[in-house]
Amino acid sequence: MQPSLFPSPGVSPAPSPVNRQVLNASQFEAATTVDGPVLVIAGAGSGKTRTLVYRVAHLVESGVAPEKILLLTFTRKAAEEMLSRASGLLNDSVRHVTGGTFHAVANKLLRRHGAGLGFAPNFTILDQGDAEGIINLIKSSLGLGAAGKRFPNKHTIVAVLSKSVNRSMALADLLDDQYPHLADFAGDLRRINEDYRKFKLEHGLMDYDDLLVNWQRLLSDEFDLRPTIAGLFSHIMVDEYQDTNQIQAAIVRGMALDHHNVMVVGDDAQSIYSFRGADFRNIMDFPAIFPHTRIIRLEENYRSTQPILSLTNGIIAQATEKYTKQLFSTITEGEPPVIHGARDEAGQARFVVDRITALHRQGIPLSDIAVLFRSGFHSYKLELELTNRQIPFEKRGGLKLTESAHVKDVIAYLRVVTNPADRLSWNRILLLLDKVGPKTARLVLDAVRGAEDPVAALKAYPAGPGWKKGLHGLADTLASLHDPGLAPSGQLDLLLEYYRPLFERIYYDDYPRRGSDLEHLRTILAGYDTLQHFIDDTALEPPQAATDGTADYGAGGDRLILSTIHSAKGLEWDTVFVIHLAEGAFPSPQSFQPEQREEERRLLYVAATRAKQRLYLTYPREIMAVDRSYHHGALTPFLADLPAGLYRAEGGGDFAAPGFADRCATPRFPASASRSRSPVRQQGGDADGFPVGTEVRHNFFGQGTVRAIAGPRTVEVFFPRHGVKTLHLDYAKLERLDP
DNA sequence: TGAGACGCTGTTTTT
DNA sequence: CAGCGTCTCA
């Protein structure tokens, strides 16, 4: 018998950052509590992953069957890593644990048990682009948004419909609350939603929300399946619980109802996904749903040095929500975080690359360094600089491989092979034929739909002389793809033979560039045993687009990581750069409501807490916009408001060099440097500059009237078209209209 | 009815 | 600057 991983706590409870095999007392308690509900409040870097890994191993070691354990994580990668580490601790039986995202597990369950809901096992998962495509079809079929008429675009419609699902709100209430300017469209949106629902059901399609909703339905009283589904697992763990929404919380409840053996782990200070319906209050509500919940706090940080933690504590301390944790580190020594103001974006890129080069020379591997940013496009300049200097990098977040038109084409062919009812994909591939437009495609589809053998029906269609050949070529190719002896990679090879000529005609101006994506696709497909799994993953775990030449440079080798902050969640690096921390870029200008701004603050907190040894926070002082005007960029208020002494200021010392303000194309506010700690901060204007009754203009809400002063820098404004909004003058671009 | 030119708009974050 | 939708011509 092997020695237990878990000697009694009395023997080895000592927290030791040196010997990381050992758990501290709280971690130990979390890892060894087998039965009953447990809520773990885990601060950043507090060893949460390690705790979960040990708990999985402990459950198995104490006799819980691995296939009875469910581990829900935020990404598939996280689940894979945890399970592989747990295997390392114990043995390979851990591999039978079910792990993955809510969406991936839902997919698995629904392919087995979705028949009762009216779904065949070969349903296709829609990504956001697919959903938008269908919405567009429906929109035009309903005659909405025809020329001259005002109607929300597909992107907005999908966002609204999805939010109403994920927030579990009626459409009317959501519009009222978040989109008052769309109130007039409520009726039409409801019609679109109803048609969308029917379309998906008829064509065997599920979007991301459906995966969750339908999992929840499996657990509802509507069907007799609850005991079966809930009986699949006896022990459930949920990571990143602060980023679950109400449906996910309901799923957890339904799955654990019979045994209450459920552990959720989260950190309310790191909740950054409310835009897709997440609500960190799920954490607070958990003990009410599961009585006698044991609450365990992990507050000791093993990741970062104390200087870095002091700064991140400072960032989160400014939040309006009061977070109870105050993290402390045992690593007291370390370099203070650096705030670097660069002259412009190019200067910022140079600074980052220079510093990385220097660190690399000191022996720090590139893969121990990450550059993080708010939005995908914030790294464009840096990517150029890295390419010039031949530094290999890998970009995470931002554009996905599957979002480019030519890759969507290829996937559409494969999708009709697995799901012949997928009308959206049929439509797409028919449109690729010369002389076939929307009208013809529709006629063909109507003839093919419902046919016993769609491919044969396709070939039998009385095509016009101009496109008969093309249609036959398509039908023959699809027929050959159905060969059961063919592996997915073989299917792709056959398909590409057919597609390449079309591809070169359609993308005649840049097909060489796009061609490398098709090669990339081949290597990805080689790793799959069934086409269905590949297609599922293109929606559930879309592969990143190859960045450029440098991507091949060190495949599997030492590469710098560039990532959006959202995609960096849960990860850590020795050295972290957070770039573009300029007012106007961070917080994102779209985030004007107070709760949204608070989430942006947490986002910066998440970014900064990724750093172990070194943290660099940079911003450009001058940003060139598309219209070639220069915009003055001050440091983000989240950092500018920090007490001095938490960081070292570089790049001139001041956060806004005098002189730049004069060149600012449109000064937003009269300079009032009086109150702010940093000398020349541009933003601001105190609330008393906007007395009650002042007419103001906001770049989104339009014209309005100040109704009340809510704080020293906060005003309440009534906008006739949007209602009353509370605006913080540090963030909202509020313009005073003189009578 | 399809193909192509032209003009407009708008750029978070992700399963 | 590109991706989308609209308009016009063949």
Side-chain angles (χ1 to χ4, degrees):
Chain A
M1 184 181 161
Q2 58 180 313
S4 172
L5 292 165
F6 297 91
S8 77
V11 179
S12 66
S16 159
V18 183
N19 180 359
R20 297 209 164 203
Q21 292 303 307
V22 180
L23 302 175
N24 70 29
S26 309
Q27 293 171 338
F28 185 90
E29 184 186 356
T32 55
T33 303
V34 171
D35 296 320
V38 184
L39 167 63
V40 180
I41 309 281
S46 62
K48 167 197 77 165
T49 302
R50 183 159 34 121
T51 304
L52 281 172
V53 166
Y54 270 82
R55 183 162 198 266
V56 171
H58 179 71
L59 288 178
V60 174
E61 194 189 38
S62 21
V64 179
E67 53 274 16
K68 286 283 191 181
I69 299 173
L70 174 62
L71 174 64
L72 291 165
T73 54
F74 206 72
T75 63
R76 177 169 65 183
K77 233 174 153 182
E80 278 170 1
E81 194 198 319
M82 284 187 216
L83 294 182
S84 126
R85 281 171 59 182
S87 302
L89 287 179
L90 198 61
N91 58 50
D92 264 358
S93 70
V94 173
R95 293 287 179 184
H96 296 112
V97 170
T98 300
T101 62
F102 276 89
H103 293 86
V105 174
N107 178 41
K108 211 177 273 180
L109 294 178
L110 287 164
R111 291 209 187 272
R112 273 185 90 97
H113 304 282
L117 280 57
F119 282 94
N122 66 338
F123 65 81
T124 300
I125 301 169
L126 302 173
D127 66 18
Q128 187 166 320
D130 299 326
E132 288 173 358
I134 295 172
I135 292 295
N136 246 11
L137 288 177
I138 293 170
K139 190 171 135 187
S140 50
S141 81
L142 290 175
L144 300 164
K149 276 198 207 163
R150 291 180 58 83
F151 202 83
N153 64 25
K154 59 182 181 177
H155 184 77
T156 309
I157 299 172
V158 169
V160 170
L161 298 183
S162 173
K163 237 181 208 172
S164 106
V165 174
N166 281 297
R167 293 255 170 95
S168 310
M169 280 171 93
L171 197 56
D173 294 339
L174 177 75
L175 291 178
D176 225 34
D177 190 51
Q178 304 258 312
Y179 304 87
H181 53 296
L182 300 183
D184 292 348
F185 304 110
D188 288 333
L189 287 173
R190 235 191 314 275
R191 281 167 69 204
I192 291 179
N193 199 21
E194 187 50 28
D195 283 10
Y196 179 49
R197 196 187 60 77
K198 280 192 208 138
F199 187 99
K200 286 182 294 186
L201 193 62
E202 278 169 28
H203 299 104
L205 305 168
M206 285 199 211
D207 63 21
Y208 293 131
D209 303 334
D210 294 325
L211 289 171
L212 300 182
V213 168
N214 287 330
W215 185 358
Q216 189 186 7
R217 285 177 68 206
L218 289 179
L219 294 167
S220 73
D221 297 334
E222 199 184 336
F223 308 96
D224 298 332
L225 283 162
R226 206 195 71 78
T228 314
I229 304 293
L232 290 172
F233 304 104
S234 68
H235 289 77
I236 297 171
M237 278 170 274
V238 189
D239 193 12
E240 309 281 9
Y241 197 67
Q242 76 282 357
D243 283 319
T244 55
N245 63 32
Q246 287 194 37
I247 304 174
Q248 290 166 317
I251 289 172
V252 171
R253 179 169 178 272
M255 293 297 287
L257 211 56
D258 296 335
H259 47 68
H260 284 208
N261 296 330
V262 52
M263 168 182 283
V264 300
V265 183
D267 178 4
D268 46 351
Q270 293 188 67
S271 164
I272 55 174
Y273 275 89
S274 74
F275 67 88
R276 68 180 213 209
D279 188 350
F280 62 81
R281 286 180 187 80
N282 276 348
I283 293 183
M284 289 70 156
D285 295 343
F286 184 84
I289 296 169
F290 293 101
H292 312 298
T293 291
R294 196 192 285 212
I295 299 175
I296 300 171
R297 289 171 186 281
L298 307 182
E299 292 181 298
E300 178 165 2
N301 179 298
Y302 295 97
R303 179 186 291 153
S304 312
T305 64
Q306 189 58 50
I308 290 173
L309 266 192
S310 299
L311 180 102
T312 58
N313 280 340
I315 291 170
I316 206 67
Q318 294 179 70
T320 47
E321 193 87 26
K322 285 300 155 231
Y323 300 105
T324 49
K325 296 177 304 301
Q326 181 82 2
L327 296 178
F328 61 97
S329 175
T330 43
I331 314 167
T332 51
E333 297 296 308
E335 299 174 26
V338 170
I339 296 185
H340 181 92
R343 181 189 297 156
D344 51 21
E345 282 189 78
Q348 176 179 250
R350 269 196 308 278
F351 168 78
V352 172
V353 176
D354 286 345
R355 206 47 73 96
I356 288 173
T357 311
L359 289 166
H360 191 47
R361 265 196 224 109
Q362 290 170 30
I364 298 180
L366 290 175
S367 56
D368 283 350
I369 306 174
V371 183
L372 309 181
F373 32 85
R374 175 68 183 83
S375 311
F377 65 87
H378 287 159
S379 67
Y380 288 168
K381 276 251 157 54
L382 179 64
E383 289 171 42
L384 280 178
E385 185 75 19
L386 289 167
T387 308
N388 282 340
R389 310 262 291 257
Q390 305 206 342
I391 298 177
F393 65 90
E394 177 186 330
K395 187 171 173 181
R396 297 179 186 170
L399 270 183
K400 303 289 189 301
L401 180 67
T402 48
E403 281 165 4
S404 52
H406 52 295
V407 174
K408 277 195 200 158
D409 291 345
V410 172
I411 293 171
Y413 290 104
L414 300 177
R415 280 184 13 175
V416 302
V417 172
T418 59
N419 176 10
D422 181 351
R423 189 180 178 116
L424 191 70
S425 296
W426 273 114
N427 194 50
R428 181 175 193 106
I429 64 181
L430 287 172
L431 287 176
L432 294 178
L433 296 171
D434 203 10
K435 309 285 175 224
V436 176
K439 202 87 179 188
T440 311
R442 191 151 142 201
L443 290 174
V444 177
L445 276 174
D446 286 342
V448 168
R449 77 168 312 181
E452 192 67 33
D453 181 350
V455 175
L458 192 68
K459 197 158 182 182
Y461 188 84
W467 50 284
K468 184 166 189 156
K469 230 179 110 192
L471 190 72
H472 282 193
L474 173 63
D476 291 342
T477 303
L478 290 175
S480 70
L481 291 181
H482 276 101
D483 179 349
L486 227 43
S489 58
Q491 288 174 298
L492 183 69
D493 286 342
L494 271 181
L495 173 60
L496 289 182
E497 224 171 278
Y498 164 80
Y499 176 66
R500 258 185 212 285
L502 297 188
F503 164 75
E504 293 179 7
R505 175 175 61 80
I506 300 163
Y507 306 102
Y508 62 91
D509 51 348
D510 60 351
Y511 70 83
R513 178 179 65 81
R514 292 170 184 262
S516 62
D517 287 341
L518 300 182
E519 290 307 313
H520 191 179
L521 216 49
R522 285 184 82 216
T523 53
I524 293 173
L525 228 115
Y528 283 90
D529 52 348
T530 75
L531 214 46
Q532 184 74 65
H533 286 151
F534 167 73
I535 291 167
D536 288 353
D537 282 357
T538 60
L540 292 174
E541 199 85 17
Q544 288 293 317
T547 35
D548 52 315
T550 53
D552 310 327
Y553 189 109
D558 187 29
R559 278 182 291 175
L560 174 71
I561 300 293
L562 308 190
S563 175
T564 60
I565 299 171
H566 284 89
S567 298
K569 176 166 136 146
L571 305 175
E572 60 179 29
W573 291 272
D574 177 87
T575 301
V576 169
F577 293 81
V578 190
I579 62 173
H580 254 286
L581 292 170
E583 186 195 2
F586 204 135
S588 158
Q590 336 272 324
S591 306
F592 38 75
Q593 295 189 353
E595 323 87 78
Q596 293 177 316
R597 272 199 333 270
E598 286 304 306
E599 178 148 315
E600 298 280 310
R601 187 195 310 280
R602 294 193 294 268
L603 197 54
L604 178 60
Y605 177 72
V606 168
T609 50
R610 300 306 97 198
K612 289 151 96 172
Q613 295 289 328
R614 272 169 290 265
L615 175 62
Y616 295 91
L617 306 157
T618 75
Y619 71 104
R621 288 213 192 89
E622 195 174 63
I623 299 169
M624 191 170 44
V626 239
D627 59 359
R628 298 196 162 195
S629 70
Y630 283 97
H631 290 263
H632 179 80
L635 179 64
T636 172
F638 296 149
L639 292 174
D641 288 345
L642 286 178
L646 290 177
Y647 53 84
R648 196 170 74 226
E650 270 187 9
D654 290 345
F655 288 134
F660 277 98
D662 303 332
R663 272 200 266 154
C664 183
T666 42
R668 291 185 200 121
F669 303 103
S672 71
S674 50
R675 284 211 192 173
S676 63
R677 261 182 224 99
S678 38
V680 198
R681 253 176 71 214
Q682 272 277 303
Q683 96 255 331
D686 293 337
D688 49 22
F690 293 90
V692 173
T694 309
E695 290 290 311
V696 294
R697 182 192 301 286
H698 183 274
N699 63 349
F700 181 81
F701 295 130
Q703 199 165 325
T705 314
V706 175
R707 217 183 64 152
I709 310 237
R713 304 172 82 76
T714 314
V715 290
E716 271 180 25
V717 183
F718 173 73
F719 296 98
R721 292 175 56 199
H722 301 278
V724 176
K725 298 287 167 193
T726 306
L727 300 170
H728 199 292
L729 295 173
D730 279 354
Y731 312 105
K733 295 179 189 172
L734 212 52
E735 193 184 327
R736 196 182 159 147
L737 296 179
D738 289 320

